[in-house]
Amino acid sequence: MINADVVPTQEPTEATRYWLGVALDVPLAGLFDYYALIPVNAGTRVIVSFGRRQMVGLVAQVKAAPDIAPGSVKAIEAVLDDIPPMSDDWMRLVSFAARYYQRPLGEVMLPALPVALRKVASYTGKGARGGPVARADKSKRKAAAVCVGDAPPLQLNPEQTQAVQAVTAAQGHQTFLLHGVTGSGKTEVYMHAAKQVLAQGRQVLFMVPEINLTPQFEQSLRARLGQVDNPDLLAVLHSGLADGERLRAWLRIARGQARVLLGTRLSIMTPMPDLGLIIVDEEHDTSYKQQDGLRYSARDLAVWRGHDLQVPVVLGSATPSLETWHNAQRGHYQLLSLTQRARAVQLPQVRLVDTRRLALEHGFSPQLLDAIKARLAQNEQVLIFLNRRGYAPVVSCNSCGWVSQCPRCTAYTILHRTQGGRTHNHLQCHHCGYHASVPRRCPDCGDQDLRPMGRGTQRLEEHLAEWFPQARISRIDADSTRLKGSAEALFAQVHAGEVDILVGTQMVAKGHDFAKLGLVGVLNADAMLFAQDFRAPERLFAQLMQVAGRAGRHAGSGEVIIQTDYPEQPVYQALLKHDYQGFARYSLEERKAVGLPPFAYQALLTAEARALKTAVAFLSEAATLPDTAPELYPTSEAVTRYDPVPLRVVRVANTERAQLLVESDSRPALQTFLATWSADVAALATRHRVRCHLEVDPLEI
Ligand code: ADP
Ligand code: ZN
Ligand code: ZN
């Protein structure tokens, strides 16, 4: 397991030393010099002592001489040879990610490995006998959780056939955008293309935004791809797996035993020796973006990896991100369109209900209530979509205007209702998790007339139960699905027809194919339109198209009712006509006119400190760094540095946050700038004692 031959028992005198640049998971740039007494390949994991600790590192470089005085270079302590060295293409991928996202190589390489492979404790001490890989190999793997019959392939329609042919005929690399409304048969295209690639003896990486919520998808993939012939065919990777399961799946893929990897964003970093096709379903989905540590876009890395390996990449969506659409429009990606629903089912009819002059009942328009009644009478299911969990977004005093606020954040505390033996109310901060009971009287004026203001999903559920006492109502949001497995159970009830009205947040929008769902009602979409950054309309459009796509998938005559105060907004007008292209054209023109992505490239520096002025002072200095050493910043002329601004929710858990945006219309110019700036900024942050992080291609500003 551990190759002890290399461990020097005494200081060698004449023996040849092999100099190694080792990547370690520490927040310091650069590699660390060590030596070995036998040749060690790049990509090999080693145990080294670093400071007073032992750490698992990865040999990133074999070098002719160390950077520091040879006498002060330490020997590695062990070579870990329980798996072969990481492949060159994997090393290129993680090196690119580190470079592009401006992170130390070790902080990218090591976290990309399963936990057990990067912990010293897996190899030393009691209980480490055999090492993690041997233990994983020995432990009985659960047989594939489903017994599926292989599904007969469907007869593809002409557009699908054309799409499959284009993908499988690709010589070398090509990125395809598969654009088609929900239900247009994109998944069928992926499967047919995947089958052909598998038949050529190559592996397929199939990325999805979310796995836990859609177990049926995994089953249909197994059935479609021929699981029966080869029970080992598929491996699944997502963050919900236990460490041991994750290691086993990773090993099966890395060794080429499993041929298809179905996974969330983290799967992009998995070594795949025979990778022949990458599919990114719902490519616009923001969950492809990692929001901490290495803030990478798995979609973007997929395109890079496909190019590096010279294999095709298929990005699929009903509502592509404007970046991707723009790339397709200018010919960088090849557009494949599915223009109709695959089954002879009409797209749902979208209706806008102008709420400006309507008397709403607890947020519901008479039109929506009538429509719910009608659908229930026909034994169809209804989905009410509101992207706000809890009972009410704030509690307020009717006499003095006091509102419930988090003491640690610049945010309201949300009223939540826990149903147990007795209904119980409490206030909760969605930013920091702060909990408090609801005061009996106003803390400011003593008045007892405290009222919930506005509505969350819990409150909708309560009102619906009053109006439709016969209906079986279920709520799916982050609160109702907190327990492991509860989301699956709730969705299963909906699929089984045991639910008449489903109330939910964005969690219900993704991927589900509810056979009996006839009506979708959307409440308070306007809040999503105006609350956030320049991507808010794009995100709203995608989300509403997706949630609308839940209606009438099987029976047809599906209906979507959107309540809004702004029916004339382009987002809503485009939704009426299911007109993604019109919306994209309009939005891209707008972005171009003001120079926003995809016509500009951005990076965002966020600083956190106890006092806002500390954070802002740091950012202001960070902004002027290039002016103090212009010779180190050859492209700074091409990069715009904006003024630091506090975040919208400036204080979270007693930490004040501010941001600085840098932007360029040239990606190389920005990258050159960031390479120097990120190092300078890190040093500055240490001096200022602020925490900061740099995000390249940020999604939210
Ligand atoms: P998407 O991924 O675009 O939402 P799917 O691939 O899930 O669409 O297809 C939607 C539905 O249409 C599925 O039930 C699928 O089985 C069916 N379907 C897809 N392609 C065909 C086809 N060529 N003939 C008949 N049914 C199809
Ligand atoms: Zn009061
Ligand atoms: Zn808080």
Side-chain angles (χ1 to χ4, degrees):
M1 182 56 37
I2 298 175
N3 187 333
D5 301 345
V6 292
V7 182
T9 42
Q10 56 199 159
E11 271 305 299
T13 44
E14 293 296 310
T16 314
R17 293 180 177 193
Y18 297 90
W19 305 107
L20 309 173
V22 176
L24 294 174
D25 187 5
V26 293
L28 296 169
L31 301 175
F32 299 89
D33 283 332
Y34 289 89
Y35 72 86
L37 296 177
I38 56 165
V40 177
N41 290 323
T44 307
R45 289 167 313 125
V46 292
I47 293 182
V48 298
S49 71
F50 182 76
R52 295 216 220 119
R53 283 189 295 168
Q54 280 192 318
M55 299 184 85
V56 172
L58 216 147
V59 177
Q61 218 183 0
V62 178
K63 39 209 289 195
D67 292 345
I68 54 175
S72 58
V73 177
K74 286 188 275 189
I76 59 168
E77 310 215 333
V79 171
L80 300 175
D81 58 2
D82 50 353
I83 56 167
M86 303 305 295
S87 62
D88 287 348
D89 71 284
W90 186 87
M91 299 286 279
R92 287 198 299 276
L93 173 69
V94 287
S95 304
F96 168 76
R99 213 164 50 238
Y100 185 80
Y101 293 109
Q102 311 294 336
R103 297 277 292 186
L105 188 56
E107 280 195 304
V108 178
M109 278 190 163
L110 288 141
L113 300 174
V115 175
L117 298 184
R118 54 180 151 98
K119 274 205 321 216
V120 175
S122 314
Y123 294 93
T124 57
K126 277 197 280 229
R129 214 171 326 130
V133 174
R135 286 200 300 280
D137 286 342
K138 239 183 287 166
S139 78
K140 267 229 186 75
R141 194 164 57 81
K142 270 187 285 173
V146 280
C147 43
V148 288
D150 284 358
L154 288 171
Q155 187 72 40
L156 296 182
N157 66 36
E159 284 180 336
Q160 288 174 315
T161 308
Q162 214 181 356
V164 172
Q165 277 172 358
V167 173
T168 52
Q171 300 291 323
H173 169 70
Q174 171 69 48
T175 299
F176 297 93
L177 167 58
L178 180 61
H179 176 230
V181 291
T182 42
S184 60
K186 294 186 292 298
T187 311
E188 266 329 292
V189 171
Y190 304 145
M191 309 254 189
H192 275 77
K195 274 203 102 139
Q196 294 199 27
V197 170
L198 291 174
Q200 293 158 13
R202 309 195 70 176
Q203 289 176 303
V204 176
L205 171 55
F206 194 149
M207 289 206 285
V208 291
E210 169 69 70
I211 289 186
N212 294 335
L213 295 180
T214 52
Q216 330 95 297
F217 183 73
E218 183 184 333
Q219 295 192 18
S220 78
L221 195 64
R222 287 184 192 280
R224 271 279 183 280
L225 295 178
Q227 180 81 24
V228 169
D229 294 339
N230 176 7
D232 222 18
L233 183 79
L234 187 78
V236 178
L237 272 181
H238 56 85
S239 57
L241 296 178
D243 288 348
E245 290 174 289
R246 197 149 144 188
L247 174 61
R248 278 194 297 277
W250 190 91
L251 285 170
R252 285 169 52 224
I253 280 291
R255 290 165 170 167
Q257 289 160 346
R259 308 306 294 172
V260 179
L261 174 56
L262 171 65
T264 53
R265 62 169 180 260
L266 58 93
S267 57
I268 189 61
M269 300 284 191
T270 313
M272 297 183 72
D274 307 315
L275 185 56
L277 171 66
I278 306 178
I279 296 162
V280 185
D281 190 26
E282 308 287 2
E283 66 85 28
H284 65 279
D285 199 296
T286 51
S287 28
Y288 284 119
K289 180 93 195 219
Q290 165 104 349
Q291 295 296 354
D292 53 26
L294 177 75
R295 288 159 201 263
Y296 65 95
S297 155
R299 190 257 332 267
D300 293 350
L301 286 182
V303 172
W304 190 90
R305 193 173 181 182
H307 181 263
D308 182 62
L309 291 173
Q310 287 298 300
V311 302
V313 176
V314 181
L315 310 179
S317 178
T319 51
S321 66
L322 290 175
E323 281 79 3
T324 297
W325 185 252
H326 182 57
N327 275 327
Q329 293 299 304
R330 57 183 179 157
H332 290 196
Y333 298 169
Q334 186 177 334
L335 179 64
L336 306 169
S337 297
L338 306 180
T339 54
Q340 275 140 24
R341 275 193 160 179
R343 303 207 195 142
V345 177
Q346 290 293 308
L347 282 168
Q349 203 196 344
V350 178
R351 265 167 70 192
L352 299 176
V353 172
D354 184 344
T355 41
R356 277 172 297 193
R357 275 178 292 277
L358 276 181
L360 300 182
E361 262 191 271
H362 299 297
F364 286 81
S365 62
Q367 289 91 326
L368 179 54
L369 287 174
D370 286 345
I372 297 174
K373 219 173 290 168
R375 294 287 166 167
L376 292 179
Q378 293 170 46
N379 265 322
E380 289 181 33
Q381 289 174 317
V382 172
L383 166 62
I384 303 297
F385 177 72
L386 173 66
N387 223 349
R388 183 187 276 163
R389 67 192 170 89
Y391 188 83
V394 65
V395 172
S396 139
C397 169
N398 207 35
S399 79
C400 79
W402 169 89
V403 287
S404 58
Q405 220 149 13
C406 177
R408 307 193 296 190
C409 308
T410 41
Y412 297 134
T413 44
I414 318 286
L415 182 65
H416 278 255
R417 195 157 271 197
T418 353
Q419 248 96 17
R422 212 159 54 105
T423 307
H424 168 81
N425 288 332
H426 72 274
L427 294 168
Q428 189 188 322
C429 172
H430 285 185
H431 294 276
C432 74
Y434 169 86
H435 268 256
S437 51
V438 183
R440 277 173 199 284
R441 46 185 74 234
C442 173
D444 280 4
C445 76
D447 198 296
Q448 296 195 3
D449 192 8
L450 298 182
R451 294 179 184 180
M453 302 241 301
R455 274 159 294 275
T457 45
Q458 290 183 326
R459 196 171 191 183
L460 292 189
E461 190 185 9
E462 191 176 284
H463 292 308
L464 287 165
E466 279 166 25
W467 288 322
F468 305 104
Q470 318 299 352
R472 295 159 301 175
I473 302 175
S474 178
R475 173 169 55 85
I476 297 189
D477 57 25
D479 297 312
S480 72
T481 57
R482 190 139 290 154
L483 295 176
K484 196 174 170 167
S486 55
E488 286 95 320
L490 286 171
F491 280 119
Q493 282 178 359
V494 184
H495 283 289
E498 291 160 16
V499 171
D500 303 310
I501 304 179
L502 175 61
V503 179
T505 57
Q506 60 191 359
M507 278 182 78
V508 298
K510 286 186 186 175
H512 281 276
D513 191 358
F514 300 124
K516 282 179 60 191
L517 189 72
L519 169 69
V520 172
V522 179
L523 270 58
N524 207 9
D526 295 340
M528 293 188 271
L529 183 57
F530 295 113
Q532 293 164 24
D533 59 15
F534 71 88
R535 283 194 179 85
E538 177 185 353
R539 220 169 281 148
L540 177 62
F541 184 83
Q543 203 162 60
L544 293 186
M545 280 283 272
Q546 197 159 31
V547 76
R550 304 305 114 211
R553 285 171 73 94
H554 289 241
S557 82
E559 183 183 17
V560 181
I561 294 183
I562 301 173
Q563 298 189 168
T564 171
D565 281 354
Y566 306 90
E568 71 289 343
Q569 281 284 322
V571 171
Y572 296 127
Q573 288 300 315
L575 276 163
L576 270 185
K577 296 174 278 178
H578 302 278
D579 182 15
Y580 169 80
Q581 300 204 21
F583 176 72
R585 199 179 320 117
Y586 169 85
S587 307
L588 282 173
E589 273 166 20
E590 210 179 44
R591 298 260 185 102
K592 189 171 188 175
V594 290
L596 283 169
F599 302 96
Y601 303 92
Q602 300 179 326
L604 193 60
L605 180 64
T606 304
E608 300 183 350
R610 283 279 154 188
L612 183 59
K613 68 176 197 304
T614 314
V616 171
F618 159 74
L619 292 175
S620 303
E621 201 174 330
T624 58
L625 276 173
D627 306 326
T628 59
E631 67 285 359
L632 301 176
Y633 288 89
T635 61
S636 70
E637 293 282 290
V639 177
T640 309
R641 293 164 257 155
Y642 289 89
D643 290 331
V645 287
L647 260 75
R648 193 169 50 91
V649 178
V650 56
R651 183 161 40 92
V652 166
N654 290 328
T655 301
E656 307 276 348
R657 306 168 315 157
Q659 291 184 324
L660 171 70
L661 181 69
V662 296
E663 190 182 87
S664 176
D665 52 18
S666 153
R667 200 198 285 277
L670 182 63
Q671 279 288 318
T672 305
F673 176 87
L674 292 178
T676 316
W677 196 55
S678 61
D680 284 355
V681 159
L684 187 69
T686 314
R687 283 210 301 284
H688 278 253
R689 302 229 184 95
V690 299
R691 278 160 45 105
C692 75
H693 62 257
L694 183 64
E695 183 170 3
V696 180
D697 304 332
L699 280 185
E700 263 176 85
I701 294 173

